[in-house]
Amino acid sequence: MPRPPLRFSAFVMNTASHIVHGLWRDPEGEQLRFNELDLWVDLAKRLEAGGFDAIFFADVVGVYGDYRGGWAHHAELGLQIPSNDPLVILSALASHTQHLGLAFTAGPIQQPPYNFARQVATLDHASNGRIAWNIVTSALANGWKNFGHDDLLSHDDRYAFADEYLDVLYKLWEGSWDEDALEQDRGSGRHADPSKIHAINHVSEHWKVQGPFLSAPSPQRTPLLFQAGSSKVGRDFAARHAEAQFIVSPGAEQARVLIDDTRRLVEAHGRHRDDLKFFQGLSFVVGSTEEEALRKEAELEEKIDIDGQIAHFGGSLGVDLGAYEPDTPIDVIHTEGGQSGLAWLREATNGRTPTLEDVVRLRTRNTRVTGTPEQIADELARWSEAGVDGINVVNATIPGSYQEFIDHVLPVLRERGLAQREYTPGTLRRKLFGNDRLSERHPAARYRGAFRSQVPVG
Amino acid sequence: MPRPPLRFSAFVMNTASHIVHGLWRDPEGEQLRFNELDLWVDLAKRLEAGGFDAIFFADVVGVYGDYRGGWAHHAELGLQIPSNDPLVILSALASHTQHLGLAFTAGPIQQPPYNFARQVATLDHASNGRIAWNIVTSALANGWKNFGHDDLLSHDDRYAFADEYLDVLYKLWEGSWDEDALEQDRGSGRHADPSKIHAINHVSEHWKVQGPFLSAPSPQRTPLLFQAGSSKVGRDFAARHAEAQFIVSPGAEQARVLIDDTRRLVEAHGRHRDDLKFFQGLSFVVGSTEEEALRKEAELEEKIDIDGQIAHFGGSLGVDLGAYEPDTPIDVIHTEGGQSGLAWLREATNGRTPTLEDVVRLRTRNTRVTGTPEQIADELARWSEAGVDGINVVNATIPGSYQEFIDHVLPVLRERGLAQREYTPGTLRRKLFGNDRLSERHPAARYRGAFRSQVPVG
C-alpha cells in the first residue's frame, strides 16, 4: 500500500535562538522580533498558504543547565532566554488561519490541571479544534526551582507526575460533560441539561479537583496529544498517551527500528499501531543545483555559533561543558550518563575520536537534508518508507527557512504524492486520524460517561 | 478644573449569561456564540472603532454557591456555566486592534506566579502594552475546591494570599531584568547583557521561585492593575496595589463618598490620590425620546429572568435563596451577614418591606441609566463630578448594547467633552496615567534594581 502524504509542521520557539544558535545575527532572519505578535501571525499565514499542517512551539520554563558555571553565557547568546509563553499567542494565530494546527509545549509543573484544562479547551473552541499539546515533563532543574521545588524530580518520578496530571485532565475534558449537555434553547430557556454535567471529585497524590469542568466540550475535547520522550519510560508514556511522537533519529533506518519498536509498545497498551504518528525533526538546505546547496550549507556551518551549540548540548544533559575547548576529544569528557549514546559518532568521524565540536556539528548535520528539491524529495521518500508520518521542520531563520521550503520543496513533494494537495476539512485530529475525538482505545476514553453516577446536584 | 473625559470599558464575560440573566434568549443577543472567537474579535473591533478604552473580561473558576441545593439551576440558566478562560483569547483581540485596552480577571489560586507572570508578559509584548489584570481573590467555594483546597479560605486570608502572590509577580516583572538588559546586537553577537538579568530567589509561605524571569521587560512590565474589592480589607488592598478600581455604587453621591474615602486610603499608603482611578459599573437603555427609553426599559425588565438574578445574588453571597419565592419579604430571609447592607432598599421601596424580587431588580436598576442620549450625558456628568474616572458598561446583549452606546450616546458625550475624541498613542497605562510603567510610589517599584546584588552567574 502506498504511504499517505507526509505531514509537515514548523518547529519553532517563542525566542530568538531555539536550536541553530547564532543565526539570529543573520540579516535575513527575523526571529529577533519574537516579542512581536506580527512575526508569528505572519508566519502562520505563510505556513497555511504553503500547505503546512501545523506550527509547533517548543518551550522551556527555566534556563538551561550551567555553562561555564552559570547561565550568563546562555543570556549572551540568547539561548532560549528570553523566551515567551507559546500558549497565549495561539488565539491570535487561530484568528488569522483556518486549517493550520496549533501545537504548543507545556508540562505539569506549570499550572494546576483545572486552569490548564480550561485554557486549552478555550483555545480548542477558539480555533475550531486545531489545538495540539506537546506534553513534556520539564527536564531543566531551574524550571522546577521556578515552581516551588528544591530540584528536578527524578526522571521516572517526572513521568509519574505527568501520568497523574493527565488523569485529571482526561476527567475534565472527556468525562465532566456529556456530549449533548449544551442545549442553548432560546425557546425553552434551557441553556444546558444539568443532568449531563458532572462533578469529577478527583483525589490523587498531588491533585484534588471537584469539578464540574467550566468549559463545554470543545471540538476535539482533549487536544491532539504530542510527546517527545526518547527514554524507555518516555516511549512507554508516549505509547500509552500520545497520538503523535516527535522523534530525532540520526537516519531513516534508525527511525524505522525506533518506530517499529514503539508501535509494538502502542499495541501492547491495547491501541492500534497507527494510533501513534511519528514526526521526525529535520532541517533543510535547498539549492537549485547540488553545488549551490552544498555552498549554502557551508555558509550555514560558518554562521552557526559552536559555543552556543555546545552550551545547549551540555545544558540539556545537565553537564557543564564550558571547561572544554571545542577541539577536546570526547574521550576526555566524563558525563554522568556515560558515552553509550555516542557510538554512532565514531562511525561518523571515520573512526577518529570525535571532538566536542564534531559532536554538536553532527547533531545538526545528521538531521539536515541538503540538496535540490528533487534530492530532498528522494530523501523524504526514504523517511516515509521507514514509517515516518510527518516532518517537524527545523529552521535556521524565520520566516526564511519556511518560505524557501514552501516555494521550492513542497511543490515537488506534492507532485510525487509526498505532500498533501489540499487540506481535509475539520479539526486537527480529523485531518490526521479521520475523527474529531480521541479513539475509544485511548486511556482517556474510559472517563466518557464515568461520572454519570455522581449524585445529581440541585 | 474641568474633569477629563470619562473612560469607557465594556464589561463582559466569556459566557452566555453574565449579569443580566435571561437575555441570551433575546433574538438580538449573540452572546450564545461565546465559544466562538469571532464574537469577541468582532466586538473588540467595534469597541475600538467606537472609541472605547478597554474590553474588560470578568471571570470565575467555579460554579456559584447553591441554589435549591446545588448548581443544576445555574447550568439550566447558563449562569456563568459554561464559561471559558478570558486570558487566552486576548492575543486574538490584540492582533485585530491597536488601541483597545485588554483587561482580564484572574486570581492567585489559578496558576503559580511564574507561569502567570510569563503568560501576562507575553501578552503585554503581543499587545504593545495594552494588558490590564483585574486581581480577584476568588470568592466561590467550588473554585477553591477545583484547585486542591478543602474550602474557601477566610476573606482576610484570601487577601493575604493575594498579597503574597503579587509580591512574587512584582519581583519577576519589575526586578528580574534591568531596563537595558536586552541588546540584540547582530554585530557583537551579544543578545543580552547577563549582568543585568537577575535571579530573584523568592521564598515565602506558599511560593518559592528562583528566577531569572524568562520574558524580557514588556512595554508595561506589570500590567495595569484593576481591582474590585468593596470590603474594608479589599479597599485597603486596592489602595495599596490597584491603579483602577471597579466600583458598583447605587448612585453618584454614594460613589463620591466611597471614592473620597478610598483616595484617602491611597494617600495613607504613600501614593497620590490620582494614582487610583475609579470605574463605575453602569448599564444603559437608550431611546430617541424619554418615552421610548422607558418603554424599552419596561421590555427589558420583562426579559430579565428573575430566578436567575436571585440565584446569582444568593450564589455570590453563599446563601441558598432557592427556598424562597420572589415575593418573599426580605425580613423573612436570614443570611449570615445580616441585612445591614440592605438599608438603602427600604428607602428605594418607599418604606415598604422589599421582597426578594425587589432586591434583585433594584440591584440592576440602581446602576442602569435610562433616557435619551442627552439625558444619559447629564447623568454621566453627575458621575464624573462625583469623582468617577470611567464607566464599566454592562450589557444586556452582545454586541447590541455596545453598538447602541457607540452609535447614539458616545457622539453626544464627545460633544460635551465627557468622552475622548481620539486615542492617546502608546500603552494602556500611558493612555490613563501618561507613563508606561508603574509609578515609583507603587509598592512594586521597590523591586527595581533590588536583585542586582545577586551573585552573578557564569
Side-chain angles (χ1 to χ4, degrees), chain A residues 181-196:
Chain A
L182 200 63
E183 299 184 349
Q184 300 203 314
D185 186 336
R186 281 189 163 101
S188 73
R190 193 157 85 157
H191 192 266
D193 179 348
S195 74
K196 296 176 176 170

Side-chain angles (χ1 to χ4, degrees), chain A residues 303-325:
Chain A
K303 290 177 188 168
I304 291 176
D305 187 325
I306 289 303
D307 218 28
Q309 301 302 120
I310 295 173
H312 190 166
F313 179 51
S316 350
L317 293 173
V319 180
D320 189 338
L321 297 174
Y324 305 99
E325 292 299 316

Side-chain angles (χ1 to χ4, degrees), chain A residues 59 76 118 150 191 208, chain B residues 59 76 118 150 191 208:
Chain A
D59 197 28
E76 280 180 12
R118 189 161 173 249
D150 289 326
H191 192 266
K208 199 161 69 169
Chain B
D59 196 28
E76 282 181 11
R118 189 160 173 250
D150 290 326
H191 192 266
K208 200 160 70 169

Side-chain angles (χ1 to χ4, degrees), chain A residues 162-231:
Chain A
D163 258 323
E164 185 190 344
Y165 191 70
L166 279 170
D167 201 46
V168 192
L169 296 174
Y170 293 156
K171 289 180 179 179
L172 292 168
W173 284 329
E174 301 286 334
S176 183
W177 285 65
D178 295 350
E179 204 57 57
D180 53 351
L182 200 63
E183 299 184 349
Q184 300 203 314
D185 186 336
R186 281 189 163 101
S188 73
R190 193 157 85 157
H191 192 266
D193 179 348
S195 74
K196 296 176 176 170
I197 307 169
H198 317 285
I200 64 163
N201 293 314
H202 174 89
V203 180
S204 61
E205 187 184 348
H206 296 94
W207 308 110
K208 199 161 69 169
V209 180
Q210 184 177 53
F213 193 37
L214 276 177
S215 293
S218 69
Q220 298 186 117
R221 285 187 179 253
T222 299
L224 189 83
L225 298 174
F226 257 94
Q227 217 272 337
S230 58
S231 67

Side-chain angles (χ1 to χ4, degrees), chain B residues 228-241:
Chain B
S230 58
S231 66
K232 190 170 177 306
V233 173
R235 286 172 54 229
D236 190 69
F237 181 93
R240 281 181 290 126
H241 295 289

